[in-house]
Amino acid sequence: MAVPSNVAELLVVRHGETDWNALGRLQGHAESDLNEAGKKQAQAVAEKLASLGLEFAAIYSSDLQRALDTAQAIAEKCQFRSKITVRENLRERCLGDLEGFTRTEARTAAPEALKVFMKNDDSLPIPGGGESMEQLCVRVQDAFEQIASENLGKRVVVVTHGGVLRTSHIIARGLPCIGKVVNASINTFRISDEKEWEICSWGDVGHLQDIGFLNTGFGGDKLSG
């Protein structure tokens, strides 16, 4: 199906499962490699995208390795011969002093950061150089709208993180998504030249049924995890 000339279609994928996902550790900008389940998930989502028979004008990825490894699997399976476009502004929310800790550990190791994280105040940045939800929202909106403006009339793949996806749902529909943002899920957006957002599909995990996935998913705020 052709994409209208005044919109871009973004197939947005969360990276595969990591060691820290499985342990419940908050990642943020910190690195954690795909585990064996995550590598299988990356291959499964790559096979699903390849099976659609669609032409992708570009593949974008966060610069964090867990996203890049997932994007590389997609590029190889889809026989995408151009370079993956790496964007730092597609990174997960920066969690400051919370990065690397479970929430239980953070109660002792980073209590002030955890307190801010759990507050209903989107304007407060997390201590230790972390982002507020408002800052994350501005970054995600800019990142997605930039990609859209570069690809009007085209279809692209974007590999990113749970917090970015949850925030993109808020931008598009004005409220958080129901449930978790699952590793290697596919979520389809259309963004117009007038910066109007539409979610065409959300949370497609049919390709993961034979592999499985965690029933937790970080979405950048206290409701996720």
Side-chain angles (χ1 to χ4, degrees):
M1 182 184 297
V3 178
S5 61
N6 68 322
V7 304
E9 185 169 288
L10 284 61
L11 281 73
V12 187
V13 177
R14 187 187 177 200
H15 62 80
E17 180 185 314
T18 68
D19 291 327
W20 281 14
N21 286 150
L23 293 170
R25 295 196 180 280
L26 298 169
Q27 295 177 124
H29 287 187
E31 295 282 18
S32 179
D33 293 336
L34 297 183
N35 58 20
E36 286 307 309
K39 292 173 184 177
K40 291 178 182 178
Q41 291 168 349
Q43 287 299 316
V45 73
E47 290 172 4
K48 173 63 179 290
L49 291 172
S51 75
L52 298 176
L54 301 173
E55 179 180 351
F56 300 119
I59 296 177
Y60 292 81
S61 176
S62 155
D63 64 337
L64 297 176
Q65 197 62 49
R66 56 191 182 271
L68 279 170
D69 288 345
T70 305
Q72 188 59 45
I74 294 169
E76 290 174 2
K77 189 63 67 173
C78 292
Q79 299 182 337
F80 186 77
R81 292 177 172 81
S82 299
K83 288 182 64 175
I84 295 168
T85 304
V86 180
R87 295 279 167 87
E88 185 176 339
N89 61 5
L90 292 171
R91 282 185 172 195
E92 182 58 277
R93 180 184 182 187
C94 182
L95 299 176
D97 289 338
L98 293 175
E99 292 181 0
F101 296 115
T102 66
R103 296 191 198 202
T104 299
E105 292 169 345
R107 292 188 189 122
T108 302
E112 289 305 311
L114 185 64
K115 183 178 179 181
V116 169
F117 181 68
M118 299 300 290
K119 274 188 175 180
N120 291 319
D121 188 340
D122 291 347
S123 69
L124 293 177
I126 298 174
E131 289 176 286
S132 69
M133 283 299 295
E134 288 180 355
Q135 289 170 327
L136 177 64
C137 188
V138 169
R139 172 162 68 84
V140 170
Q141 185 162 358
D142 287 347
F144 277 45
E145 289 178 355
Q146 180 182 6
I147 290 171
S149 69
E150 295 167 352
N151 294 280
L152 293 174
K154 300 175 184 177
R155 182 178 284 112
V156 301
V157 175
V158 179
V159 184
T160 185
H161 305 266
V164 172
L165 268 160
R166 188 175 177 86
T167 302
S168 67
H169 191 285
I170 294 171
I171 294 167
R173 292 190 176 167
L175 73 168
C177 59
I178 298 173
K180 306 302 183 183
V181 180
V182 173
N183 291 108
S185 59
I186 303 172
N187 311 271
T188 305
F189 294 78
R190 285 190 171 185
I191 302 175
S192 76
D193 54 1
E194 298 292 331
K195 299 183 179 180
E196 296 174 341
W197 290 50
E198 175 189 3
I199 298 177
C200 304
S201 67
W202 181 263
D204 180 2
V205 292
H207 50 287
L208 301 177
Q209 295 307 313
D210 294 333
I211 298 169
F213 50 86
L214 294 171
N215 288 319
T216 59
F218 179 66
D221 62 21
K222 68 176 186 178
L223 298 177
S224 62

